[in-house]
Amino acid sequence: MIETGEILQTMEMIREQNFDIRTITLGINLLDCSHPDADECARRVYDKICRVAKNHVRTGENIERELGIPIVNKRISVTPVSLICQADPRPIAKALDAAAKEMGVNFLGGYSALMHKGATRADERLLDSIPEVMATTERLCSSVNIGSTRAGINMDAVAQMGRIIKQTAEMTADNDSLGCAKLVVFCNAVEDNPFMAGAFCGVGEPEAVINVGVSGPGVVKRALEEVKGASFDVVAETIKRTAFKITRVGQLVAREASQRLNIPFGIVDLSLAPTPARGDSVAHILTEMGLDMAGGPGTTAALALLNDAVKKGGVMASNHVGGLSGAFIPVSEDIGMIEAAASGALTLEKLEAMTCVCSVGLDMIAVPGDTSAETISGIIADEAAIGMVNSKTTAVRIIPAVGKKAGDTVEFGGLLGYAPVMPVNTTSCEKFIARGGRIPAPLQSLKN
């Protein structure tokens, strides 16, 4: 039962602190759509999505209107396409994009491959198609899992993804290499992530499932403004209590959507996902703790406290917390991160250190267009190593902006925002990447 006091606090969070439900994501299992003929498979995929998701957007809009809680995005995730595709995956990509448009969702995730231990022929076909698909579709997102704590890191896939990201950037150069903003490379990808671009409906999920992602950086910052100068014990407790309130609202929306659609409720992802709007920044939470700017000394410690307190508060509010659940630090989508990167306070190396203690990894990072494929692969390998050794999900969503150099700006618009092009260490790792093979799983993988 949600009490009157909680309702009033929620209304204040919405009205004054940029609180919203970032996404209701409908996961759809497409395993039964597989067919040897690509066009027939694409037809089955389109028909099933339109059948299962026909009321998804309208239901979200009704909940938003009736409860007065902003729900920014209604999205769909599907079974990784490489698992259902027995031929050319491009017709399926077109069908997915058309279904997303027909259903009225802004993004559909699942043009994905899971190749942390090796690649099937279907995986290879999908990877080869990614640059063209990202350039010719509007709403389709792609992800590739190249490593895990249990399997190690597939360095052949890492090398291939460096080249694919470069090709995708070149094929979408007229739009500031936007295709790369819809492509993410994972280590330890999770099956129930509701956030794009990495959402897909894992094989352990039901036939259909509702996963909700909440967001409230502005709410956390406002709460910390009330405890200026207090000890870190007080800071942590304040964040925990705030995360509890945020997650309770997410739980309410998830249950409502589940009941109205008659689709099982999966998880609430309580990640603090920022936007480019001022007052909705994870970086500004860190400055509220006492830093002059994100990226300076103390940033990693402050982010570790934030991430831990968010998780501790959220798990008390819902029995089913999942997805990524922590603090996101996408540079182009967070006004505080944008300002820190533009000033030089936030570097790529510092961001890498920060990803050891927060959700996901190097997210929405713009780098010079002449950055080599091998350098991009090296960045992916470094981030994957952090995830593999620490048994956490890490990812890289990097945009080599064609024709841009360090200090320039790329514009994506909407929630994707804009980003300063950050300098990259150009010391060659070409011979390292060329070795190929698989980096073995760490000792901590042997937990049985």
Side-chain angles (χ1 to χ4, degrees), residues 158-369:
V158 168
Q160 195 168 357
M161 288 312 301
R163 296 189 292 270
I164 287 168
I165 289 169
K166 285 285 289 184
Q167 293 166 13
T168 303
E170 290 160 2
M171 293 187 72
T172 56
D174 291 344
N175 201 10
D176 272 347
S177 302
L178 178 64
C180 295
K182 300 184 292 175
L183 172 59
V184 58
V185 185
F186 277 116
C187 178
N188 288 322
V190 296
E191 296 187 331
D192 55 2
N193 168 24
F195 288 103
M196 299 297 168
F200 62 86
C201 184
V203 294
E205 295 290 289
E207 186 70 13
V209 64
I210 291 291
N211 296 320
V212 167
V214 300
S215 181
V219 181
V220 175
K221 181 180 183 298
R222 179 63 64 87
L224 292 182
E225 290 173 0
E226 302 298 320
V227 293
K228 285 185 182 294
S231 72
F232 284 117
D233 302 280
V234 175
V235 169
E237 185 64 25
T238 301
I239 295 171
K240 281 168 52 182
R241 291 177 181 273
T242 306
F244 177 86
K245 297 173 187 176
I246 292 170
T247 309
R248 287 275 282 179
V249 179
Q251 173 89 352
L252 170 64
V253 170
R255 292 289 186 192
E256 278 292 319
S258 172
Q259 290 172 9
R260 296 185 188 200
L261 291 168
N262 195 29
I263 290 173
F265 159 52
I267 57 92
V268 175
D269 185 321
L270 51 94
S271 296
L272 296 180
T275 71
R278 193 164 296 278
D280 201 24
S281 163
V282 170
H284 288 163
I285 297 174
L286 306 182
T287 57
E288 189 60 41
M289 289 188 197
L291 302 175
D292 278 349
M293 188 169 283
T299 298
T300 305
L303 187 58
L305 183 154
L306 172 64
N307 210 55
D308 179 67
V310 165
K311 292 177 188 290
K312 287 175 178 174
V315 297
M316 294 297 292
S318 173
N319 288 330
H320 299 291
V321 170
L324 299 166
S325 290
F328 287 178
I329 51 171
V331 171
S332 80
E333 299 173 18
D334 185 312
I335 185 62
M337 295 292 178
I338 293 169
E339 293 168 346
S343 73
L346 186 63
T347 64
L348 199 59
E349 289 75 18
K350 186 62 176 181
L351 275 167
E352 186 177 290
M354 293 163 65
T355 63
C356 296
V357 299
C358 75
S359 287
V360 201
L362 296 173
D363 196 13
M364 290 301 289
I365 311 292
V367 297

Side-chain angles (χ1 to χ4, degrees), residues 122-189:
D123 292 330
E124 293 291 354
R125 286 192 294 266
L126 186 135
L127 261 63
D128 289 342
S129 73
I130 285 175
E132 178 185 341
V133 166
M134 291 298 97
T136 57
T137 58
E138 179 185 356
R139 307 179 189 217
L140 187 57
C141 292
S142 180
S143 60
V144 179
N145 193 59
I146 51 80
S148 73
T149 300
R150 295 288 301 194
I153 302 173
N154 181 350
M155 290 300 293
D156 293 322
V158 168
Q160 195 168 357
M161 288 312 301
R163 296 189 292 270
I164 287 168
I165 289 169
K166 285 285 289 184
Q167 293 166 13
T168 303
E170 290 160 2
M171 293 187 72
T172 56
D174 291 344
N175 201 10
D176 272 347
S177 302
L178 178 64
C180 295
K182 300 184 292 175
L183 172 59
V184 58
V185 185
F186 277 116
C187 178
N188 288 322

